[in-house]
Amino acid sequence: MERKKQLNETQRYAICKKFDSGINSSIIARELDINFNTVMSVIRKYKETGSHKANKKRKLKKKIIDEKTSNFIKEKIHENVSITLEKYSFVL
């Protein structure tokens, strides 16, 4: 199943404005052609924060191994695909 794109700021603002006007969340979802659960999520966050803006982007996870080690592992796998990483662990 393909995941839809995130709501833009205009859509979030429209949801919150309609909510403030007293329009039912199911009607908002129908009018804006947005999934009901998405509308409820925006409204819940709006109630908590008072803002229609989306959450900040998450930071990227810190890499566990550096690029040199990663390249070494890839090279060894290509040399012999039948050997497990456990056998290479003594070198790392």
Side-chain angles (χ1 to χ4, degrees):
M1 179 181 284
E2 186 175 324
R3 187 173 180 184
K4 292 186 177 184
K5 292 182 180 180
Q6 290 185 347
L7 297 178
N8 60 41
E9 191 170 332
T10 306
Q11 291 170 311
R12 290 176 176 280
Y13 178 76
I15 291 169
C16 296
K17 187 173 181 178
K18 287 179 181 288
F19 173 74
D20 283 340
S21 299
I23 299 175
N24 187 298
S25 51
S26 61
I27 295 171
I28 295 171
R30 226 178 300 124
E31 286 180 356
L32 299 177
D33 193 28
I34 298 172
N35 183 287
F36 173 78
N37 290 327
T38 303
V39 170
M40 291 304 296
S41 177
V42 171
I43 291 171
R44 184 182 71 249
K45 289 178 186 174
Y46 176 64
K47 285 179 179 179
E48 290 172 359
T49 65
S51 173
H52 67 276
K53 299 194 179 206
N55 290 340
K56 293 180 181 180
K57 300 275 182 183
R58 295 179 185 162
K59 293 182 180 181
L60 296 175
K61 290 183 179 180
K62 184 179 177 184
K63 292 186 177 182
I64 296 173
I65 59 173
D66 61 7
E67 195 156 339
K68 182 180 176 184
T69 307
S70 175
N71 289 336
F72 171 79
I73 293 169
K74 288 175 186 176
E75 181 182 312
K76 293 301 178 183
I77 290 171
H78 288 298
E79 287 175 8
N80 187 350
V81 295
S82 64
I83 296 178
T84 64
L85 287 176
E86 188 176 332
K87 293 182 181 176
Y88 287 124
S89 64
F90 69 91
V91 179
L92 302 176

